[in-house]
Amino acid sequence: MIIAIASGKGGTGKTTISVGLAWALGSSAVLLDCDVEEPNAHIFLAPEFQESESVNLLVPLVDESKCTGCGLCGKICRYNAIAMLNQKPLVFSEMCHACGGCALVCPVGAISEVPRAIGVVERGFAGAVEFVHGRLNIGQVFAPPLIRAVRKYAKADKITIVDSPPGTSCPVIAAIRGSDFVILATEPTPFGLHDLTLAVEMTRALKIPFGVAVNRVGIGDDRVRRYCAEQNIPIVLEIPDDRRIAEAYSRGEFLTDAAPEYGALFKALPERLANMARGC
Amino acid sequence: MKIAITTTGDNLNAPMDARFGRAQKFIVYDLDSNSFEVVDNQQNLNAIQGAGIQSAEAVAKTGARAVLTGHCGPKAFRALSAAGIKIYNISGATVSEAIEKFRSGQIAEAVSADVEGHWS
């Protein structure tokens, strides 16, 4: 089973829930930290990495001796990564989404595709928990290919927990697509509700069963709760606004260190979510 | 020699557009004949990315050898430089004021991008 933890608004508890859940499940869990722009699950789990692989994109390289300056490569590029200047293509490889279109349309075979490293995938174990994360290289902006490389380590025979980036854009879609259940973390504030509604729309468009985790219960107002009731969205987890939990987090400790009662709740969560996904 | 000036309007009294990549329009002014044409840049105004690069391509097509604009980011700078087009940063002027300043040599050529991308 693959459980993705996502959110519209950042800072609502995705990592708290992801690492808490993984730690409680122990050897039956694989944690994939897909927030490759700023991975932080390793700070809590302190895994020992055994393997590291580079993730590359194939970007165009122009052989100017063959190029006739026809400009077809620049025309097909949706991402403005090739400019035609003085009848010569100028490639901005950092803008390239590696679709390969330019090499395909070049009538004289002047474009070859060469690998450009965008980041690394690191794998290891944190205690009994299998751990995988991606780290996007500094200066890179194109995260989805690296996220997909991390997502390949989802395991069918384990509970795979996907710690997603925040928001509702391409990196989030890349992280949660193919999940069996999405937990949308939010907080009971107007800002939390606003971004939750965006995340709900996104998850519905992807047709993935989902529920809401409300973090810092006690602050704000009851509009998140009312919204979930109106929309028939199950609230699968509630975490109180408790200073002890915040202090534990700031020390890099687990939710269950500050609030041990969540251990049993986390252990039972995958089966509850599986039942919800089946409509039981 | 032709020069391109970023602007929000379509005549010489119009204010300059401080942006290069997402400039609304370019006025391409011929210093020899004192005539000009207006080039619309609407398609780049809404580009998902790489507006500066495409604006550089659009300017290169007009035959302009210099750009007068408010600010120019690193990718646009690289593209304009590759096309041999010089960049001059000038702020708060109308198109005609910018042309006069350029003609009288009051503005220095930019030697690098003066802002990061997406500066506005």
Side-chain angles (χ1 to χ4, degrees), chain B residues 73-85:
Chain B
K75 294 195 189 75
F77 195 91
R78 198 179 132 207
L80 288 168
S81 302
I85 298 169

Side-chain angles (χ1 to χ4, degrees), chain A:
Chain A
M1 183 186 194
I2 302 173
I3 303 168
I5 293 95
S7 74
K9 184 181 177 300
T12 53
K14 288 182 298 301
T15 301
T16 300
I17 296 167
S18 298
V19 299
L21 182 57
W23 196 244
L25 296 174
S27 61
S28 55
V30 189
L31 179 67
L32 310 180
D33 188 350
C34 286
D35 192 359
V36 301
E37 288 170 86
E38 38 194 2
N40 64 343
H42 63 281
I43 295 169
F44 297 86
L45 286 161
E48 280 184 31
F49 291 115
Q50 281 131 12
E51 286 178 61
S52 173
E53 62 187 90
S54 177
V55 174
N56 302 310
L57 287 184
L58 289 176
V59 300
L61 181 72
V62 180
D63 181 344
E64 288 192 6
S65 67
K66 287 186 189 168
C67 176
T68 60
C70 72
L72 287 174
C73 54
K75 254 182 214 148
I76 197 171
C77 184
R78 281 191 62 187
Y79 300 100
N80 293 339
I82 302 178
M84 286 305 293
L85 298 158
N86 297 343
Q87 264 87 56
K88 278 187 193 157
L90 180 67
V91 177
F92 291 80
S93 67
E94 68 272 33
M95 315 283 282
C96 174
H97 283 214
C99 72
C102 51
L104 213 60
V105 297
C106 179
V108 293
I111 296 180
S112 55
E113 293 177 277
V114 293
R116 178 170 62 84
I118 58 164
V120 291
V121 173
E122 294 176 309
R123 294 193 289 147
F125 277 88
V129 176
E130 210 176 323
F131 185 90
V132 187
H133 75 178
R135 283 194 293 118
L136 194 67
N137 289 348
I138 290 170
Q140 298 298 326
V141 294
F142 189 38
L146 180 57
I147 293 170
R148 286 193 285 271
V150 175
R151 280 290 265 104
K152 279 187 193 148
Y153 292 99
K155 291 251 169 82
D157 58 340
K158 287 193 175 184
I159 305 295
T160 300
I161 299 155
V162 176
D163 190 2
S164 162
T168 52
S169 61
C170 301
V172 183
I173 310 267
I176 72 172
R177 180 171 270 162
S179 305
D180 299 300
F181 198 97
V182 177
I183 297 174
L184 297 174
T186 191
E187 60 183 29
T189 62
F191 191 179
L193 174 61
H194 176 269
D195 286 6
L196 173 65
T197 60
L198 299 177
V200 165
E201 281 177 44
M202 169 191 71
T203 314
R204 280 184 175 147
L206 291 169
K207 299 189 166 64
I208 308 172
F210 66 97
V212 165
V214 188
N215 191 12
R216 303 193 64 197
V217 170
I219 63 167
D221 54 37
D222 68 342
R223 279 185 282 177
V224 164
R225 185 180 280 280
R226 281 189 345 236
Y227 167 78
C228 289
E230 283 161 17
Q231 297 279 323
N232 284 319
I233 299 167
I235 292 176
V236 298
L237 190 67
E238 287 185 288
I239 301 169
D241 183 44
D242 183 334
R243 189 177 173 91
R244 288 176 308 151
I245 294 172
E247 283 176 4
Y249 183 90
S250 70
R251 283 192 297 265
E253 294 169 5
F254 297 107
L255 173 62
T256 43
D257 290 332
E261 65 273 21
Y262 279 89
L265 211 150
F266 277 142
K267 277 182 191 147
L269 194 61
E271 200 180 328
R272 272 180 61 210
L273 301 184
N275 287 337
M276 282 182 196
R278 281 194 298 266
C280 299

